[in-house]
Amino acid sequence: MTTSLLIFGASRGTGEALTKQALIQGYHCYAVVRNLVTAAKLTALGVTTFVGDANDPIIVERACQAAGVGCTIISTLGGEKANYQAQINIINQAEKSGIKRMILVTSLGCGDSWPTLSERAKAAFGFAVREKTLSEVWLQTSSLDYAILRPGGLLDGEPTHNAEYVQGKEVHGYIRRQDLALLILEQVNQRSLNKQIYAVVDPFLVVDR
């Protein structure tokens, strides 16, 4: 059973929520972050940090070796800049280091869910979604066991505990970052990730726009 996590994206958003929840649940967390201030904050929480860029093979390799072959890698890198090259580097270094498992967080609209995006959404953030799709494909064609989570619109706030996995049908909606963090840890706790892809949303969460 995995007892250590190597997290990319731990400094903010879903990655930050995930890291804090993982520490509460007793995981030993490792993280690659870009600046010393963030590293100091995470170190104070008990995270083993590596300061550098996920595009740097040396930094990522060092983090992989420290976390060990039994760790699960989790990448929540994303936003407007999808970090496709960084994701490739993480996956490649994981394979090189003998790590077997990875959870990748992308978004609704990736892969076969692209047709479900509206033209407005494609115009607004379609480039990032397409880059995230490339990251998914790189992971799918690697030797790693994986789970890919495609969340709906991400919101702050306390967890509702109503978020759910969806497969095989079109889905739209939102999810709170705290709930997404809990779903990620549910996947970590699985003996095998079984190379699955899930849309993840909270069906009861309605946002006025």
Side-chain angles (χ1 to χ4, degrees), residues 3-7 22-23 26-30 46-48 66-67 71:
T3 59
S4 59
L5 306 177
L6 174 51
I7 302 170
L23 291 169
Y27 288 98
H28 188 173
C29 295
Y30 300 78
V47 180
T48 301
C71 81

Side-chain angles (χ1 to χ4, degrees), residues 167-184:
Q167 288 182 302
K169 65 179 182 180
E170 182 174 340
V171 63
H172 301 275
Y174 298 88
I175 184 171
R176 289 189 174 165
R177 290 179 173 87
Q178 295 288 345
D179 283 309
L180 177 55
L182 293 173
L183 292 186
I184 293 169

Side-chain angles (χ1 to χ4, degrees), residues 78-84 106-107 110 114 121-122 124-135:
E80 293 182 1
K81 185 177 181 181
N83 296 291
Y84 166 54
T106 59
S107 66
C110 287
W114 172 259
K122 289 176 181 177
F125 48 83
F127 183 84
V129 170
R130 293 173 74 190
E131 280 213 338
K132 290 177 183 179
T133 296
L134 294 175
S135 300

Side-chain angles (χ1 to χ4, degrees), residues 25-193:
Q25 293 190 22
Y27 288 98
H28 188 173
C29 295
Y30 300 78
V32 174
V33 294
R34 289 181 175 177
N35 64 75
L36 290 170
V37 174
T38 301
K41 290 179 180 178
L42 290 173
T43 299
L45 295 175
V47 180
T48 301
T49 58
F50 296 83
V51 179
D53 195 295
N55 284 292
D56 184 345
I58 295 175
I59 290 293
V60 175
E61 183 179 18
R62 283 178 54 203
C64 287
Q65 290 176 347
V69 296
C71 81
T72 297
I73 291 179
I74 303 169
S75 178
T76 65
L77 297 176
E80 293 182 1
K81 185 177 181 181
N83 296 291
Y84 166 54
Q85 294 299 328
Q87 306 282 27
I88 288 179
N89 188 41
I90 292 165
I91 294 163
N92 289 349
Q93 295 305 319
E95 290 183 296
K96 180 179 177 181
S97 300
I99 293 170
K100 305 298 184 184
R101 291 161 47 100
M102 180 170 175
I103 298 171
L104 176 63
V105 178
T106 59
S107 66
L108 290 183
C110 287
D112 58 0
S113 65
W114 172 259
T116 68
L117 283 185
S118 67
E119 291 305 314
R120 180 179 178 183
K122 289 176 181 177
F125 48 83
F127 183 84
V129 170
R130 293 173 74 190
E131 280 213 338
K132 290 177 183 179
T133 296
L134 294 175
S135 300
E136 289 188 355
V137 172
W138 201 265
L139 179 57
Q140 289 173 287
T141 54
S142 75
S143 63
L144 303 179
D145 188 20
Y146 63 82
I148 296 171
L149 303 186
R150 297 172 175 168
L154 294 170
L155 302 173
D156 292 324
E158 293 299 312
T160 67
H161 302 285
N162 293 321
E164 60 184 32
Y165 307 100
V166 180
Q167 288 182 302
K169 65 179 182 180
E170 182 174 340
V171 63
H172 301 275
Y174 298 88
I175 184 171
R176 289 189 174 165
R177 290 179 173 87
Q178 295 288 345
D179 283 309
L180 177 55
L182 293 173
L183 292 186
I184 293 169
L185 290 172
E186 280 187 11
Q187 290 298 307
V188 170
N189 288 326
Q190 300 300 312
R191 187 173 297 276
S192 176
L193 299 173

